[in-house]
Amino acid sequence: MTQRRILITGGNGFLGSNLVQYFLNQNYKVLVISRNSYNLNSVMNKIEFIQSTTEDYTPIADSIRKFAPDYVIHAAWSGGNAYSNIHSLNQFYTNIPLSLSLLEVINTLSIKPTFVGVGSFAEYGLLHSRASETDIELPINYYGLSKLTVKKVAELYCSINNIKFAWIRPCYIYGPRDVPTRLIPRIITGLISNQPVKLDSCEVRIDYLHIDDFSRAVDAIMSSGLTGVYNICSGEEYNLREIVQFLYDNLSTGVLHPTFDVLPDRTSVSRYVCGANTKLKSVSNWNNTIDIRTGLLRTITEARKNS
C-alpha cells in the first residue's frame, strides 16, 4: 500500500503539532510548513519541515510540488490565540492572502490534493443552542468573520478548480501543547507553580473535546473522502466553573481556591459555545471516546511531566 502524504501548515501550533504526531503514528508521510518547530523537536527526524515566516507560499511552491501531498490541512493562522486578537483587522490582512497563496500553489499540482481548512465555532456567532452545520453563520468578532471569509473564498476556489474541499469547525479543543494563554493550560501552569489565576465569572457553557478525539475526527473525514463542513466537538455541555473547580481539586494543595469575578466578563463572544456532532457521526465511524475527567487528568499529568 502506498504511503499517504499529508501537508500540514501551522504544524507547530496546538492543533497542528498534535495532528503531526497522530498522522506519523498512522504511517503518513508528513510535510510541515510553519514559522517555528519547538513543538516538533521530538519528531523532526521523522518529518519534512519548511520554515516559512511570510504570508505567501509561492516561494516554496516547488518544494510542495515535489512532496506531492494527497491531503493539505491548512491550520496556519495569524492571530486568534488570545482574546485580545479577536477584534484585530490583521486577521484579514494576513490570513486571506496566506490562504489564497496556498490554494494557488495546490492548483498547480499535477494531482490535486484534498484541501482541509481549519475553521472555528466563532463563525457561528452568538449561540443559544447547539450549533449545527446547517445554521446560518453570523460572526460577532473579526476572528469569526475572517475565518468565515477564508472558508467561503476557499470553498468557491476549490469548486471552480475541481479541488476536493472540507472545512472543519473545532469547538473548544484541549490537551497537551495547548496555547499557554488559554484557560485550561493557564490554570494548570499557575497551580503547578502555586500561583493564583485571575478569573472572570466563568458563567459559560462550553463544549470541550480532547485533542486525541479531534485528531481521530480529522482522520475520519479524510479517510472517508468526506467533503463539506463538519463540526468537531464532543456534543456535550460543560459549565466552565465546574471545569475550573475540577482543576483546582486535582492540582491545588488546598491553599489556593478559585476566585471568580476578579476580571470582567468578555464581550463580543458567545456565553454559550456548544455544538452538535451528529453529522460527522452519521457519515463516518468516528465517535468521541475520552470523557472530560479522563482528558483533564491526562492533561494535568502531561503538564506535570513537562514542568
Coordinates of all heavy atoms in Angstrom, one line a residue, residues 101-171:
S101 N -2.7 32.1 -1.4 CA -1.5 31.7 -2.0 C -1.3 30.2 -1.9 O -0.8 29.5 -2.8 CB -0.3 32.4 -1.3 OG 0.0 31.9 0.0
L102 N -1.8 29.6 -0.8 CA -1.7 28.1 -0.6 C -2.6 27.5 -1.7 O -2.2 26.5 -2.3 CB -2.1 27.7 0.8 CG -2.2 26.2 1.1 CD1 -0.8 25.6 0.9 CD2 -2.8 25.9 2.5
L103 N -3.8 28.0 -1.8 CA -4.7 27.4 -2.8 C -4.2 27.5 -4.2 O -4.3 26.6 -5.0 CB -6.1 28.1 -2.7 CG -6.9 27.8 -1.5 CD1 -8.0 28.9 -1.3 CD2 -7.5 26.4 -1.6
E104 N -3.5 28.6 -4.5 CA -3.0 28.8 -5.9 C -1.8 27.8 -6.1 O -1.7 27.3 -7.2 CB -2.5 30.2 -6.1 CG -3.7 31.2 -6.2 CD -3.3 32.6 -6.4 OE1 -2.2 33.0 -5.9 OE2 -4.0 33.3 -7.1
V105 N -1.0 27.5 -5.1 CA 0.0 26.5 -5.2 C -0.6 25.1 -5.4 O -0.2 24.3 -6.3 CB 1.0 26.5 -4.0 CG1 1.9 25.3 -4.0 CG2 1.8 27.8 -4.0
I106 N -1.6 24.8 -4.6 CA -2.3 23.5 -4.7 C -2.8 23.3 -6.1 O -2.7 22.2 -6.7 CB -3.4 23.4 -3.7 CG1 -2.9 23.3 -2.3 CG2 -4.3 22.2 -4.0 CD1 -4.0 23.4 -1.2
N107 N -3.3 24.3 -6.7 CA -3.9 24.2 -8.0 C -2.9 23.9 -9.1 O -3.3 23.6 -10.2 CB -4.7 25.5 -8.4 CG -5.7 25.3 -9.5 OD1 -6.3 24.3 -9.6 ND2 -5.8 26.3 -10.3
T108 N -1.6 24.1 -8.8 CA -0.6 23.8 -9.8 C -0.1 22.4 -9.8 O 0.7 22.0 -10.6 CB 0.6 24.8 -9.6 OG1 1.3 24.4 -8.4 CG2 0.2 26.2 -9.7
L109 N -0.5 21.6 -8.8 CA -0.1 20.2 -8.6 C -0.7 19.4 -9.7 O -1.8 19.6 -10.1 CB -0.4 19.7 -7.2 CG 0.6 19.9 -6.1 CD1 0.8 21.4 -5.9 CD2 0.2 19.3 -4.8
S110 N 0.1 18.4 -10.2 CA -0.4 17.5 -11.3 C -1.6 16.7 -10.8 O -2.6 16.5 -11.5 CB 0.7 16.6 -11.8 OG 1.2 15.9 -10.7
I111 N -1.6 16.2 -9.5 CA -2.7 15.6 -8.9 C -3.1 16.5 -7.7 O -2.4 16.6 -6.8 CB -2.4 14.2 -8.5 CG1 -2.0 13.3 -9.6 CG2 -3.6 13.5 -7.7 CD1 -1.5 11.9 -9.3
K112 N -4.3 17.0 -7.8 CA -4.7 18.0 -6.8 C -5.1 17.3 -5.5 O -5.9 16.4 -5.5 CB -5.8 18.8 -7.3 CG -5.4 19.7 -8.5 CD -6.6 20.5 -9.1 CE -6.2 21.2 -10.3 NZ -7.3 21.9 -10.9
P113 N -4.6 17.7 -4.4 CA -4.9 17.1 -3.1 C -6.2 17.6 -2.5 O -6.7 18.6 -3.0 CB -3.7 17.5 -2.2 CG -3.4 18.9 -2.7 CD -3.5 18.8 -4.2
T114 N -6.7 16.9 -1.6 CA -7.9 17.3 -0.8 C -7.5 18.5 0.1 O -6.5 18.4 0.8 CB -8.5 16.2 0.0 OG1 -9.0 15.1 -0.9 CG2 -9.7 16.7 0.8
F115 N -8.2 19.6 0.1 CA -8.0 20.7 0.9 C -8.9 20.6 2.2 O -10.1 20.5 2.0 CB -8.2 22.0 0.2 CG -8.1 23.2 1.0 CD1 -6.8 23.8 1.2 CD2 -9.2 23.8 1.7 CE1 -6.7 25.0 2.0 CE2 -9.0 24.9 2.5 CZ -7.8 25.5 2.6
V116 N -8.2 20.6 3.3 CA -9.0 20.6 4.6 C -8.6 21.9 5.4 O -7.5 22.1 5.9 CB -8.6 19.4 5.5 CG1 -9.4 19.4 6.7 CG2 -8.8 18.1 4.7
G117 N -9.6 22.8 5.4 CA -9.4 24.1 6.1 C -9.9 24.0 7.6 O -10.9 23.3 7.9
V118 N -9.1 24.6 8.5 CA -9.5 24.6 9.9 C -10.2 25.9 10.2 O -9.6 27.0 10.2 CB -8.2 24.5 10.8 CG1 -8.6 24.5 12.2 CG2 -7.5 23.2 10.4
G119 N -11.5 25.8 10.5 CA -12.3 27.0 10.8 C -12.4 27.1 12.3 O -11.5 26.7 13.1
S120 N -13.6 27.6 12.8 CA -13.8 27.9 14.2 C -15.3 28.0 14.5 O -16.1 28.4 13.6 CB -13.1 29.2 14.6 OG -13.5 29.6 15.9
F121 N -15.7 27.7 15.7 CA -17.1 27.9 16.1 C -17.4 29.4 16.2 O -18.6 29.8 16.3 CB -17.3 27.2 17.5 CG -18.0 25.9 17.3 CD1 -17.4 24.9 16.6 CD2 -19.2 25.6 18.0 CE1 -18.0 23.6 16.5 CE2 -19.8 24.4 17.9 CZ -19.2 23.4 17.1
A122 N -16.4 30.2 16.2 CA -16.6 31.7 16.2 C -17.3 32.1 14.9 O -17.9 33.2 14.8 CB -15.3 32.4 16.3
E123 N -17.3 31.3 13.9 CA -18.0 31.6 12.6 C -19.5 31.6 12.9 O -20.2 32.3 12.2 CB -17.7 30.6 11.6 CG -16.2 30.5 11.1 CD -15.9 29.3 10.2 OE1 -16.6 29.2 9.2 OE2 -15.1 28.5 10.6
Y124 N -20.0 30.8 13.8 CA -21.4 30.8 14.1 C -22.0 32.1 14.8 O -23.1 32.4 14.6 CB -21.8 29.6 14.9 CG -21.7 28.3 14.2 CD1 -20.7 27.3 14.6 CD2 -22.5 28.0 13.1 CE1 -20.6 26.1 14.0 CE2 -22.4 26.7 12.5 CZ -21.4 25.8 12.9 OH -21.3 24.6 12.2
G125 N -21.1 32.7 15.6 CA -21.5 33.9 16.3 C -22.2 33.6 17.6 O -21.8 32.7 18.3
L126 N -23.2 34.4 17.9 CA -23.9 34.3 19.2 C -24.8 33.1 19.2 O -25.8 33.0 18.4 CB -24.8 35.6 19.4 CG -25.3 35.7 20.8 CD1 -24.2 35.9 21.9 CD2 -26.2 37.0 20.9
L127 N -24.5 32.1 20.1 CA -25.3 30.8 20.1 C -26.2 30.8 21.3 O -25.8 31.3 22.4 CB -24.3 29.7 20.2 CG -23.4 29.4 18.9 CD1 -22.4 28.3 19.2 CD2 -24.3 29.0 17.7
H128 N -27.3 30.1 21.2 CA -28.2 29.9 22.3 C -28.6 28.4 22.4 O -29.2 27.9 23.3 CB -29.5 30.7 22.1 CG -29.2 32.2 22.1 ND1 -28.9 32.9 23.2 CD2 -29.2 33.1 21.1 CE1 -28.7 34.2 22.9 NE2 -28.9 34.3 21.6
S129 N -28.2 27.6 21.3 CA -28.4 26.2 21.3 C -27.3 25.6 20.5 O -26.4 26.3 19.9 CB -29.8 25.9 20.6 OG -29.8 26.4 19.3
R130 N -27.2 24.3 20.5 CA -26.0 23.6 19.9 C -25.9 23.9 18.4 O -26.9 23.8 17.7 CB -26.1 22.1 20.1 CG -26.0 21.7 21.6 CD -26.0 20.2 21.7 NE -26.0 19.8 23.1 CZ -26.0 18.5 23.5 NH1 -26.0 17.6 22.6 NH2 -26.0 18.3 24.8
A131 N -24.7 24.4 18.0 CA -24.5 24.8 16.6 C -24.5 23.6 15.7 O -24.0 22.5 16.0 CB -23.2 25.5 16.5
S132 N -25.2 23.7 14.6 CA -25.3 22.7 13.6 C -24.7 23.3 12.3 O -24.7 24.5 12.1 CB -26.7 22.3 13.4 OG -26.8 21.5 12.2
E133 N -24.2 22.4 11.4 CA -23.6 22.8 10.2 C -24.6 23.5 9.3 O -24.1 24.2 8.3 CB -22.9 21.6 9.5 CG -21.7 21.0 10.1 CD -22.1 19.9 11.2 OE1 -23.3 19.8 11.5 OE2 -21.2 19.2 11.6
T134 N -25.9 23.3 9.5 CA -26.9 24.0 8.6 C -27.2 25.4 9.2 O -28.0 26.1 8.5 CB -28.1 23.1 8.5 OG1 -28.6 22.9 9.9 CG2 -27.8 21.8 7.9
D135 N -26.7 25.8 10.3 CA -27.0 27.1 10.9 C -26.4 28.2 10.0 O -25.4 28.0 9.4 CB -26.5 27.2 12.3 CG -27.2 26.3 13.3 OD1 -28.3 25.8 12.9 OD2 -26.7 26.2 14.4
I136 N -27.1 29.3 10.0 CA -26.6 30.5 9.3 C -25.5 31.1 10.2 O -25.7 31.3 11.4 CB -27.7 31.5 9.0 CG1 -28.7 30.9 8.1 CG2 -27.1 32.8 8.5 CD1 -30.0 31.8 7.9
E137 N -24.3 31.4 9.6 CA -23.2 31.9 10.3 C -23.4 33.4 10.4 O -23.5 34.1 9.4 CB -21.9 31.6 9.6 CG -21.6 30.1 9.4 CD -22.0 29.7 8.0 OE1 -22.9 30.3 7.4 OE2 -21.4 28.7 7.5
L138 N -23.3 33.9 11.7 CA -23.4 35.4 11.9 C -22.3 35.8 12.9 O -22.6 36.0 14.1 CB -24.8 35.7 12.5 CG -25.9 35.6 11.5 CD1 -27.3 35.7 12.2 CD2 -25.8 36.6 10.4
P139 N -21.0 35.8 12.5 CA -19.9 36.1 13.4 C -20.1 37.5 14.1 O -20.7 38.4 13.6 CB -18.7 36.2 12.5 CG -19.1 35.5 11.3 CD -20.6 35.7 11.1
I140 N -19.6 37.6 15.4 CA -19.8 38.8 16.2 C -18.4 39.4 16.5 O -18.3 40.3 17.3 CB -20.6 38.6 17.4 CG1 -20.0 37.4 18.3 CG2 -22.0 38.3 17.1 CD1 -20.7 37.2 19.6
N141 N -17.3 38.8 15.9 CA -16.0 39.5 16.0 C -15.2 39.2 14.8 O -15.6 38.4 13.9 CB -15.3 38.9 17.3 CG -15.2 37.4 17.3 OD1 -14.7 36.8 16.4 ND2 -15.7 36.8 18.4
Y142 N -14.1 39.9 14.6 CA -13.3 39.8 13.4 C -12.6 38.4 13.3 O -12.4 38.0 12.1 CB -12.2 40.9 13.4 CG -12.7 42.3 13.2 CD1 -12.1 43.4 13.7 CD2 -13.8 42.5 12.4 CE1 -12.5 44.7 13.5 CE2 -14.3 43.8 12.1 CZ -13.6 44.9 12.7 OH -14.1 46.2 12.5
Y143 N -12.3 37.8 14.3 CA -11.8 36.4 14.3 C -12.8 35.5 13.5 O -12.4 34.8 12.6 CB -11.4 35.9 15.6 CG -11.0 34.5 15.6 CD1 -9.8 34.1 15.0 CD2 -11.7 33.5 16.3 CE1 -9.3 32.8 15.0 CE2 -11.3 32.2 16.3 CZ -10.1 31.8 15.6 OH -9.6 30.5 15.6
G144 N -14.0 35.5 14.0 CA -15.0 34.6 13.4 C -15.3 35.0 12.0 O -15.4 34.1 11.1
L145 N -15.3 36.3 11.7 CA -15.6 36.8 10.3 C -14.5 36.5 9.4 O -14.7 36.1 8.2 CB -15.9 38.3 10.3 CG -16.3 38.9 9.0 CD1 -17.6 38.2 8.4 CD2 -16.5 40.4 9.1
S146 N -13.3 36.6 9.8 CA -12.1 36.3 9.0 C -12.0 34.8 8.7 O -11.7 34.4 7.5 CB -10.8 36.8 9.6 OG -10.6 36.2 10.8
K147 N -12.3 33.9 9.7 CA -12.4 32.5 9.4 C -13.5 32.2 8.4 O -13.3 31.4 7.4 CB -12.7 31.8 10.7 CG -11.5 31.6 11.6 CD -10.6 30.5 11.1 CE -9.5 30.2 12.2 NZ -8.6 29.1 11.7
L148 N -14.6 32.8 8.5 CA -15.8 32.5 7.6 C -15.4 33.0 6.2 O -15.8 32.4 5.2 CB -17.0 33.2 8.1 CG -18.3 33.0 7.3 CD1 -18.6 31.5 7.2 CD2 -19.5 33.7 7.9
T149 N -14.7 34.2 6.1 CA -14.3 34.7 4.8 C -13.4 33.8 4.1 O -13.6 33.5 2.9 CB -13.7 36.1 5.0 OG1 -14.6 37.0 5.7 CG2 -13.3 36.7 3.7
V150 N -12.4 33.3 4.8 CA -11.5 32.3 4.2 C -12.2 31.0 3.8 O -12.0 30.5 2.7 CB -10.3 32.0 5.2 CG1 -9.5 30.8 4.7 CG2 -9.4 33.2 5.4
K151 N -13.2 30.6 4.6 CA -13.9 29.4 4.3 C -14.7 29.6 2.9 O -14.6 28.8 2.0 CB -14.9 29.1 5.4 CG -15.8 27.9 5.1 CD -17.2 28.3 4.7 CE -18.1 27.0 4.5 NZ -19.4 27.4 3.9
K152 N -15.4 30.8 2.8 CA -16.2 31.0 1.6 C -15.3 31.1 0.4 O -15.6 30.6 -0.7 CB -17.0 32.2 1.8 CG -18.2 32.0 2.8 CD -19.1 33.2 2.9 CE -20.3 32.8 3.8 NZ -21.3 33.9 3.8
V153 N -14.2 31.9 0.5 CA -13.3 32.0 -0.6 C -12.7 30.7 -1.0 O -12.6 30.3 -2.2 CB -12.1 33.0 -0.3 CG1 -11.1 33.0 -1.4 CG2 -12.7 34.4 -0.1
A154 N -12.2 29.9 -0.1 CA -11.6 28.6 -0.4 C -12.6 27.6 -1.0 O -12.3 26.9 -1.9 CB -11.0 28.0 0.9
E155 N -13.8 27.7 -0.5 CA -14.8 26.8 -1.0 C -15.1 27.1 -2.4 O -15.2 26.1 -3.3 CB -16.1 26.9 -0.1 CG -17.2 25.9 -0.5 CD -18.4 26.0 0.5 OE1 -18.6 27.1 1.0 OE2 -19.0 25.0 0.7
L156 N -15.3 28.3 -2.8 CA -15.5 28.7 -4.1 C -14.3 28.4 -5.0 O -14.5 27.9 -6.2 CB -15.9 30.2 -4.2 CG -16.2 30.7 -5.6 CD1 -17.4 30.0 -6.2 CD2 -16.6 32.2 -5.6
Y157 N -13.2 28.7 -4.6 CA -11.9 28.4 -5.3 C -11.8 26.9 -5.6 O -11.5 26.5 -6.8 CB -10.7 28.9 -4.6 CG -9.4 28.8 -5.4 CD1 -8.9 30.0 -6.0 CD2 -8.7 27.6 -5.5 CE1 -7.8 29.9 -6.8 CE2 -7.5 27.6 -6.2 CZ -7.1 28.7 -6.9 OH -5.9 28.6 -7.6
C158 N -12.0 26.1 -4.6 CA -12.0 24.7 -4.8 C -13.0 24.2 -5.8 O -12.8 23.3 -6.6 CB -12.1 24.0 -3.5 SG -10.6 24.2 -2.4
S159 N -14.2 24.7 -5.7 CA -15.3 24.3 -6.6 C -14.9 24.7 -8.1 O -15.1 23.9 -9.0 CB -16.6 25.0 -6.2 OG -17.6 24.8 -7.1
I160 N -14.4 25.9 -8.3 CA -14.1 26.3 -9.6 C -12.9 25.5 -10.2 O -12.9 25.2 -11.4 CB -13.7 27.8 -9.6 CG1 -14.9 28.7 -9.3 CG2 -13.0 28.2 -10.9 CD1 -14.6 30.1 -9.1
N161 N -12.0 25.1 -9.4 CA -10.8 24.4 -9.8 C -10.8 22.9 -9.6 O -9.7 22.3 -9.7 CB -9.5 25.1 -9.2 CG -9.3 26.5 -9.7 OD1 -8.9 26.7 -10.8 ND2 -9.7 27.5 -8.8
N162 N -11.9 22.4 -9.2 CA -12.1 20.9 -9.1 C -11.1 20.3 -8.0 O -10.4 19.3 -8.3 CB -11.9 20.2 -10.4 CG -12.4 18.8 -10.5 OD1 -13.3 18.5 -9.8 ND2 -11.7 17.9 -11.2
I163 N -11.1 21.0 -6.9 CA -10.3 20.5 -5.7 C -11.3 20.1 -4.7 O -12.2 20.8 -4.3 CB -9.4 21.7 -5.2 CG1 -8.4 22.1 -6.3 CG2 -8.6 21.2 -4.0 CD1 -7.7 23.4 -5.9
K164 N -11.1 18.9 -4.1 CA -12.0 18.4 -3.0 C -11.8 19.4 -1.8 O -10.6 19.7 -1.4 CB -11.6 17.0 -2.7 CG -12.1 16.0 -3.7 CD -11.9 14.6 -3.2 CE -12.4 13.5 -4.2 NZ -12.2 12.2 -3.7
F165 N -12.9 19.8 -1.2 CA -12.9 20.8 -0.1 C -13.6 20.2 1.1 O -14.7 19.8 1.0 CB -13.5 22.0 -0.6 CG -13.8 23.1 0.4 CD1 -12.8 24.0 0.8 CD2 -15.0 23.1 1.1 CE1 -13.1 24.9 1.8 CE2 -15.3 24.1 2.1 CZ -14.3 25.0 2.4
A166 N -12.9 20.3 2.2 CA -13.6 20.1 3.5 C -13.2 21.2 4.5 O -12.1 21.7 4.4 CB -13.1 18.7 4.1
W167 N -14.1 21.5 5.3 CA -13.9 22.6 6.3 C -14.3 22.1 7.7 O -15.5 21.7 7.9 CB -14.8 23.8 5.9 CG -14.5 25.1 6.7 CD1 -15.2 25.6 7.7 CD2 -13.4 26.0 6.5 NE1 -14.7 26.7 8.2 CE2 -13.5 27.0 7.5 CE3 -12.3 26.0 5.7 CZ2 -12.6 28.1 7.6 CZ3 -11.4 27.1 5.8 CH2 -11.6 28.1 6.7
I168 N -13.4 22.1 8.6 CA -13.7 21.5 9.9 C -13.8 22.7 10.9 O -13.1 23.7 10.8 CB -12.6 20.6 10.4 CG1 -11.2 21.2 10.4 CG2 -12.6 19.3 9.5 CD1 -10.1 20.3 11.0
R169 N -14.8 22.6 11.8 CA -15.0 23.6 12.8 C -14.8 23.0 14.2 O -15.7 22.4 14.7 CB -16.4 24.2 12.7 CG -16.5 25.2 11.5 CD -17.9 25.8 11.4 NE -17.9 26.8 10.3 CZ -18.9 27.0 9.5 NH1 -20.1 26.4 9.8 NH2 -18.9 27.9 8.6
P170 N -13.6 23.1 14.7 CA -13.4 22.7 16.1 C -14.1 23.6 17.1 O -14.1 24.8 16.9 CB -11.9 22.7 16.3 CG -11.3 23.1 14.9 CD -12.4 23.7 14.2
C171 N -14.6 23.0 18.1 CA -15.2 23.8 19.2 C -14.0 24.0 20.2 O -12.9 24.3 19.7 CB -16.3 23.1 19.9 SG -17.3 24.2 20.9

